Amino acid sequence: MTRIFSGVKPTGHLTLGNYLGAVRQWVAADREPADALFCVVDLHALTVEHDPARVQRLSRQAATLLLAAGLDPQRCTLYVQSHVDEHTRLAYLLECTATDGELRRMIQYREKAARAQTAGDGVRLSLLTYPVLMAADILAYRTDEVPVGEDQRQHVELARDLAVRFNQRYGHTFTVPRATLPAVAARVMDLQDPTSKMGKSHENGAGIVYLLDEPEVVRRKVMRAVTDSGDDGVVYDRAARPGVANLLDILAACTGREPQELAGEYARYGPLKRDVADAVVELLRPLRERHALLSADPGEVDRVLREGAGRARALARPVVDRAYGAIGLLAPTYA
């Protein structure tokens, strides 16, 4: 059976981009005959300046939204990263396998480090090494497939490289994973800046549709979306017309149709925006309703996470123990 692993970082409220680019794909995988693990990767949220109480609050909210989106804890394993020690145990072994140059080439590290330096903040060492922790997240479970957005593909490639290198040096220990990307809306862009990803941690939320936004807020954000100059109507062209292409990608992802096909049905931007707003509101309506029900019973979410961590721990521990022995560490003498 194919084993799937993916995670979401609690650094902000989950967005339409998270849902269309990743979470909906997770739910689809959950319904297929596969062994799937989905994780709130809270340790990754510590790589930058953060409010501890907010990280805790967003971690719970993310888990609740994943359940509301349709993940079934009877068919998959949902848990919080910091509840399973094997992630950090394995991360150090992989740090001893990775190279400084590999990590400094990571695009996200270079971008975030540059922003921190511009702001006069220090760059935490964990920001450099967190792709290794991400690799540990994946490799600890002998993962076959990692459904991710396009911006995370480089990190999965690092996990593949580290798995191959470790296996060659110390004997076969890890499965070499592969990234899987959704066919449509792999990368939903900011409605106000269609050249930038719709990120959940942006300070300005005017171009970001959050999963828990009220319907009228969703409509307002979509109707105010930046479009592109041009007198040739609605054209799907990501390079020349990124704003319109983003709207068409979102509508395509909501309706299951092709963006190029949809473009031919519109002569003006206004009707396109109204249809996108309607489609997004309807897409998010059941999710928001289920989230409200789950939030009213936090003990149930705690139970799901507790049981999920237990199952994850049982899967990861034999793999990590084997890696410890393979790299040359003595087995513990305690019972």
Side-chain angles (χ1 to χ4, degrees):
M1 186 176 292
T2 300
R3 179 163 292 167
I4 296 169
F5 175 92
S6 201
V8 60
K9 185 164 58 175
T11 52
H13 301 287
L14 294 185
T15 72
L16 178 67
N18 298 130
Y19 181 70
L20 293 179
V23 175
R24 191 167 67 168
Q25 189 183 11
W26 299 358
V27 174
D30 182 29
R31 294 171 181 163
E32 298 295 329
D35 182 9
L37 298 101
F38 302 109
C39 181
V40 179
V41 287
D42 54 343
L43 295 174
H44 292 301
L46 311 185
T47 61
V48 294
E49 189 67 29
H50 64 277
D51 174 5
R54 186 169 187 266
V55 171
Q56 290 184 342
R57 185 170 64 253
L58 291 176
S59 296
R60 174 177 292 280
Q61 183 187 89
T64 306
L65 280 169
L66 293 180
L67 293 171
L71 288 184
D72 182 355
Q74 299 302 315
R75 297 177 60 87
C76 70
T77 300
L78 175 63
Y79 67 104
V80 176
Q81 179 189 32
S82 62
H83 295 177
V84 180
D85 293 344
E86 278 63 34
H87 289 253
T88 49
R89 287 182 61 209
L90 180 56
Y92 182 71
L93 300 194
L94 296 181
E95 285 186 6
C96 296
T97 309
T99 67
D100 176 78
E102 283 176 312
L103 300 184
R104 294 189 185 278
R105 284 194 296 270
M106 294 288 109
I107 294 172
Q108 288 201 8
Y109 167 73
R110 287 186 288 162
E111 291 177 348
K112 292 181 179 180
R115 287 199 296 269
Q117 290 170 344
T118 299
D121 299 329
V123 180
R124 299 186 182 193
L125 179 61
S126 56
L127 184 62
L128 176 65
T129 61
Y130 96 87
V132 177
L133 177 57
M134 182 175 174
D137 299 338
I138 296 166
L139 300 182
Y141 298 100
R142 296 189 185 277
T143 301
D144 298 297
E145 295 183 0
V146 188
V148 292
E150 179 63 39
D151 60 317
Q152 293 293 329
R153 183 196 286 269
Q154 188 183 35
H155 291 161
V156 179
E157 290 301 317
L158 176 67
R160 289 174 55 85
D161 292 343
L162 296 181
V164 170
R165 188 177 306 152
F166 193 100
N167 290 345
Q168 290 174 341
R169 289 179 179 175
Y170 308 115
H172 184 77
T173 306
F174 302 119
T175 297
V176 180
R178 60 185 178 274
T180 57
L181 303 171
V184 178
R187 197 174 192 191
V188 177
M189 312 306 281
D190 190 294
L191 295 174
Q192 291 298 312
D193 179 10
T195 62
S196 299
K197 185 182 72 167
M198 186 180 284
K200 59 181 178 294
S201 56
H202 288 184
E203 293 182 3
N204 182 3
I208 303 171
V209 175
Y210 297 103
L211 297 186
L212 295 179
D213 276 347
E214 296 289 340
E216 60 271 21
V217 175
V218 173
R219 293 183 190 280
R220 183 169 64 250
K221 289 179 177 179
V222 173
M223 294 305 295
R224 294 177 177 175
V226 169
T227 49
D228 315 290
S229 60
D231 55 6
D232 52 347
V234 175
V235 177
Y236 183 75
D237 186 333
R238 274 187 172 274
R241 310 283 285 276
V244 175
N246 188 39
L247 291 172
L248 289 167
D249 277 336
I250 293 171
L251 186 58
C254 291
T255 61
R257 299 176 62 188
E258 292 296 324
Q260 295 87 345
E261 175 191 356
L262 289 166
E265 299 180 4
Y266 297 93
R268 295 179 295 111
Y269 297 149
L272 171 62
K273 287 183 175 182
R274 284 193 292 273
D275 285 354
V276 172
D278 288 343
V280 172
V281 167
E282 184 57 28
L283 180 74
L284 298 183
R285 179 186 55 77
L287 184 149
R288 294 180 65 253
E289 291 173 353
R290 289 193 294 267
H291 178 270
L293 291 174
L294 287 165
S295 297
D297 186 9
E300 173 63 12
V301 177
D302 287 342
R303 182 193 65 79
V304 169
L305 295 177
R306 182 170 58 251
E307 293 181 358
R311 290 197 297 270
R313 197 176 299 115
L315 289 171
R317 183 164 294 169
V319 178
V320 177
D321 284 349
R322 179 173 178 175
Y324 266 60
I327 206 170
L329 300 176
L330 286 173
T333 56
Y334 54 81

